[in-house]
Amino acid sequence: MPPENNSFRPLERFSLVGLRNLKIKNRLVISCLISTILPLLFICLYTFSLYGSSGQTGQILVMALLMMGVALTMTLYTYMSISHPIDHMIRICQAISDGDLEMRIQDQANDELSYLSDNIDGMVTEIQLLLEQQQAGEAKKRELELRMLQYQINPHFLFNTLNTLRLVAQMNQDKIVSEGICSLSELLKNTLLNDREFITIQEEIDNLRHYFSIQAIRYAGSFHVSYEIEEELSGYLLPKLILQPLAENSVLHGTYNDGTVMEIHVSCQRDRDDILLVIRDEGKGFDMEDRSTHPKGLGGIGNRNVNDRIHLYFSDHYGLTITSSPGKGTCCTIRIPALDSDSMIQTMQGGIHVPGTDR
């Protein structure tokens, strides 16, 4: 740096650091002293040294006092125009930091302080929206947990009872009842004792086979199930028990009462980075346009729970899609991301969401 600029370093340091350590009020007082009082004192001393106590000295002093009054008035006005908005901003920010997110600065002026106030108001609004979204997500999680708790019973007592009934059925050589109880026991074991939120596709298909085995006792000969599962997808993960509500809808609302055997097809296939799980039946179906003809289960808690759980784990791009037409059956399609154990952990912990539309 040139030598002539070195003399300005102390002044620059004082203006950028020293004055910033003072409150605005004190800074304005110092500014008033430097710009008004000191020049006035210098004028008084200089005038008195030139003219003594003559009339000219009095006139000059009166003019100087008037000028000082105008300068002080302008200084006071400037101080109030700056300090009042800042004091208001400080009070509102303090209220916001205490937890009152409804407070806003709402500065209607058109200066830098107003621009700063608008940005603070915008950030507070964004924080409030994020907190509301978090609270809504937590409430939905608690609701889903409560629904699961409502269906829990003592698993050991239940399994012991089922095993006893199965042994009795075997002793009586009732193969159908024995197999049904065995399937029920396995299904409940995977539901109640397995506390993992994600299971493999193969485990989910096994649960589905147990469910159809149980329903076959009640609806004997009314439906037939076929499976088309790509072997390389059997190890991928999905939320537990998302296929059973869809299978239940096919059995309860799709089967005929005239002895016709309804075909149910369960398939799993890869679609780029996603997996499509499809349960399609050739049952009665319904009119998608006429809400009054919708079976209760197809718009009820079971399907909403499946869709909500998928949205909760992933994003609105994924979810459940239902298509149907009278006499041609119903097709339920679930789209989820293709997750192995490693990618699932990264997705759940990193919050990877794919934007899209709600199905």
Side-chain angles (χ1 to χ4, degrees):
M1 182 178 291
E4 60 270 19
N5 292 335
N6 292 336
S7 59
F8 292 100
R9 282 186 176 182
L11 181 61
E12 180 182 6
R13 187 177 298 108
F14 173 72
S15 61
L16 295 179
V17 179
L19 287 178
R20 288 300 303 273
N21 293 330
L22 300 175
K23 293 184 178 181
I24 294 179
K25 179 179 180 179
N26 296 332
R27 277 185 259 170
L28 290 174
V29 170
I30 293 175
S31 175
C32 180
L33 289 174
I34 295 176
S35 62
T36 305
I37 304 300
L38 292 181
L40 176 63
L41 181 61
F42 175 78
I43 291 173
C44 292
L45 293 175
Y46 183 73
T47 303
F48 187 78
S49 66
L50 287 179
Y51 302 104
S53 58
S54 63
Q56 290 180 340
T57 300
Q59 293 176 358
I60 293 176
L61 290 178
V62 170
M63 292 295 296
L65 289 173
L66 291 175
M67 293 174 61
M68 184 186 70
V70 172
L72 288 176
T73 302
M74 294 300 298
T75 301
L76 180 62
Y77 175 79
T78 303
Y79 164 71
M80 293 177 62
S81 67
I82 296 175
S83 64
H84 284 187
I86 292 179
D87 289 340
H88 177 66
M89 190 183 303
I90 292 174
R91 288 195 301 271
I92 298 299
C93 290
Q94 184 62 47
I96 293 172
S97 66
D98 292 338
D100 188 1
L101 296 181
E102 299 296 332
M103 298 293 290
R104 297 293 185 273
I105 301 174
Q106 295 181 342
D107 192 339
Q108 303 298 327
N110 189 23
D111 58 5
E112 292 82 355
L113 291 177
S114 174
Y115 177 77
L116 178 61
S117 299
D118 291 342
N119 279 273
I120 293 176
D121 288 344
M123 287 189 293
V124 173
T125 300
E126 186 69 20
I127 292 173
Q128 188 177 23
L129 291 175
L130 291 175
L131 288 176
E132 291 176 354
Q133 292 176 0
Q134 181 182 10
Q135 292 172 357
E138 292 296 330
K140 183 174 290 186
K141 287 182 180 179
R142 289 193 296 270
E143 181 182 356
L144 294 174
E145 291 172 356
L146 179 60
R147 289 180 182 176
M148 294 181 66
L149 289 174
Q150 289 173 344
Y151 293 100
Q152 286 184 350
I153 59 176
N154 190 323
H156 296 291
F157 170 77
L158 178 62
F159 295 142
N160 290 336
T161 304
L162 290 175
N163 287 330
T164 301
L165 295 176
R166 183 169 62 88
L167 291 175
V168 172
Q170 288 178 346
M171 293 173 59
N172 293 326
Q173 297 183 350
D174 195 333
K175 183 178 179 181
I176 296 179
V177 174
S178 176
E179 291 178 352
I181 293 176
C182 182
S183 295
L184 178 60
S185 179
E186 290 296 323
L187 182 61
L188 292 177
K189 183 188 301 182
N190 294 332
T191 303
L192 298 179
L193 296 185
N194 185 355
D195 57 355
R196 291 180 296 158
E197 295 185 20
F198 281 73
I199 61 176
T200 64
I201 292 178
Q202 184 60 54
E203 290 174 317
E204 181 73 1
I205 295 299
D206 290 340
N207 290 334
L208 199 61
R209 293 180 189 273
H210 291 313
Y211 174 78
F212 281 127
S213 177
I214 296 169
Q215 291 291 56
I217 299 176
R218 178 181 178 184
Y219 299 92
S222 62
F223 66 87
H224 175 264
V225 185
S226 60
Y227 299 88
E228 185 180 351
I229 310 298
E230 296 183 8
E231 185 175 354
E232 62 271 16
L233 300 181
S234 60
Y236 282 82
L237 299 171
L238 78 170
K240 182 173 62 176
L241 296 177
I242 62 173
L243 293 181
Q244 180 177 325
L246 310 182
E248 184 175 356
N249 286 331
S250 293
V251 174
L252 296 182
H253 304 290
T255 53
Y256 296 93
N257 298 322
D258 56 1
T260 303
V261 178
M262 178 184 67
E263 292 291 334
I264 300 177
H265 306 278
V266 180
S267 64
C268 176
Q269 57 189 13
R270 186 74 177 261
D271 182 16
R272 297 184 180 179
D273 294 331
D274 297 341
I275 289 179
L276 298 181
L277 298 160
V278 181
I279 296 182
R280 178 173 56 85
D281 66 66
E282 299 177 2
K284 293 184 291 186
F286 62 94
D287 187 356
M288 296 286 293
E289 302 296 330
D290 187 359
R291 290 285 179 178
S292 62
T293 64
H294 283 205
K296 183 178 180 181
L298 292 174
I301 296 176
N303 287 352
R304 287 201 305 269
N305 184 266
V306 170
N307 210 32
D308 289 346
R309 288 176 61 201
I310 294 174
H311 288 174
L312 189 63
Y313 289 125
F314 310 115
S315 72
D316 290 352
H317 173 72
Y318 303 102
L320 170 64
T321 303
I322 299 177
T323 58
S324 183
S325 58
K328 295 184 179 180
T330 301
C331 181
C332 299
T333 303
I334 291 179
R335 176 181 291 271
I336 58 174
L339 300 175
D340 55 22
S341 57
D342 293 332
S343 63
M344 187 208 74
I345 294 175
Q346 295 175 1
T347 300
M348 299 304 295
Q349 293 181 348
I352 302 174
H353 282 240
V354 180
T357 56
D358 192 356
R359 301 273 176 167

